[in-house]
Amino acid sequence: MSERLRDYHGKRDFGRTREPEGRQAPRGAAPRFVVQIHDASTMHFDFRLQVGDVLKSWSIPKGPSDVPKDKRLAVPTEDHPLEYEEFEGVIPEGEYGGGTVIVWDRGTYEPLSHDRQGRPVDFAESLERGHATFRLHGTKLRGQYALTRFRADNWLLVKTAEGRAARGHGTPDPRRARSVRTGRTLAQVAAEEN
């Protein structure tokens, strides 16, 4: 077990939840990302970026936007295991994060962070410093984004215009959104697993 997953393991009873425990090694050359819709005590999107052997995670109440310059609050949560990229299902009531989860988008990302002289900066280091830029190559989300820390430990997720007048569609209605893994909605996952 990665030391970085201590908080994740401390919040879950794996005898009750089907969430992955975290035993998978990193795979492939390009780092992965996943966006999950989570219908828990409050509906939100979970945005996760692979950094080394874990998924760094943020809860985004309004969901990520593909509209350049839309600013979305991103609240850090505990690191998750790499296998969480595939997790879709119902977390039992009474468990941490109890509710239904679907995989709304996933793919790879390309780190783009540079220092003031234009030299590449290690992605984990750029996050530690509080500002990271990256290009998403997902099924739904594509293009350059930035995560910037502000006020204590809150972050903003923003899609950049990348030098052109891109027009996005905003964020989908989470209750009507479909999983990129299975095509199911939150309601369908909940009905099939309860």
Side-chain angles (χ1 to χ4, degrees), residues 35-106:
V35 179
Q36 291 160 311
I37 300 176
H38 190 174
D39 188 9
S41 57
T42 59
M43 178 81 71
H44 63 279
F45 290 69
D46 288 312
F47 182 74
R48 308 185 200 286
L49 296 170
Q50 178 186 349
V51 179
D53 63 350
V54 297
L55 293 170
K56 298 297 282 181
S57 300
W58 293 262
S59 172
I60 302 179
K62 292 185 179 179
S65 176
D66 64 352
V67 175
K69 306 299 180 186
D70 270 1
K71 295 177 181 171
R72 300 303 174 123
L73 175 66
V75 180
T77 64
E78 73 277 7
D79 293 345
H80 282 57
L82 297 177
E83 299 99 311
Y84 217 92
E85 174 192 357
E86 299 292 327
F87 179 72
E88 190 165 277
V90 177
I91 301 169
E93 188 175 322
E95 281 296 304
Y96 177 77
T100 307
V101 177
I102 63 169
V103 176
W104 179 71
D105 196 17
R106 65 180 175 182

Side-chain angles (χ1 to χ4, degrees), residues 24-32 50 52-53 82 85 107-109:
Q24 180 177 325
R27 62 188 163 126
R32 310 281 304 161
Q50 178 186 349
D53 63 350
L82 297 177
E85 174 192 357
T108 61
Y109 76 93

Side-chain angles (χ1 to χ4, degrees), residues 1-180:
M1 171 182 86
S2 169
E3 188 67 26
R4 294 170 65 183
L5 293 176
R6 181 190 318 239
D7 287 345
Y8 174 84
H9 283 169
K11 293 179 177 181
R12 289 162 177 83
D13 176 354
F14 293 105
R16 292 196 65 219
T17 183
R18 292 186 312 109
E19 294 171 280
E21 291 187 50
R23 303 200 189 290
Q24 180 177 325
R27 62 188 163 126
R32 310 281 304 161
F33 85 93
V34 64
V35 179
Q36 291 160 311
I37 300 176
H38 190 174
D39 188 9
S41 57
T42 59
M43 178 81 71
H44 63 279
F45 290 69
D46 288 312
F47 182 74
R48 308 185 200 286
L49 296 170
Q50 178 186 349
V51 179
D53 63 350
V54 297
L55 293 170
K56 298 297 282 181
S57 300
W58 293 262
S59 172
I60 302 179
K62 292 185 179 179
S65 176
D66 64 352
V67 175
K69 306 299 180 186
D70 270 1
K71 295 177 181 171
R72 300 303 174 123
L73 175 66
V75 180
T77 64
E78 73 277 7
D79 293 345
H80 282 57
L82 297 177
E83 299 99 311
Y84 217 92
E85 174 192 357
E86 299 292 327
F87 179 72
E88 190 165 277
V90 177
I91 301 169
E93 188 175 322
E95 281 296 304
Y96 177 77
T100 307
V101 177
I102 63 169
V103 176
W104 179 71
D105 196 17
R106 65 180 175 182
T108 61
Y109 76 93
E110 175 186 352
L112 300 174
S113 297
H114 292 82
D115 65 15
R116 293 176 193 232
Q117 287 74 42
R119 295 180 299 239
V121 173
D122 176 74
F123 195 72
E125 183 180 327
S126 65
L127 285 172
E128 192 66 34
R129 291 181 180 179
H131 181 76
T133 57
F134 47 93
R135 182 168 291 113
L136 296 178
H137 303 283
T139 303
K140 298 173 184 175
L141 295 176
R142 295 186 179 130
Q144 186 172 318
Y145 285 77
L147 270 167
T148 304
R149 185 173 43 226
F150 75 103
R151 275 193 264 146
D153 202 24
N154 286 329
W155 294 68
L156 289 176
L157 176 67
V158 179
K159 183 176 191 324
T160 65
E162 296 184 89
R164 60 182 169 358
R167 283 181 101 71
H169 300 90
T171 305
D173 175 351
R175 299 215 180 272
R176 296 180 65 198
R178 295 193 172 272
S179 163
V180 295

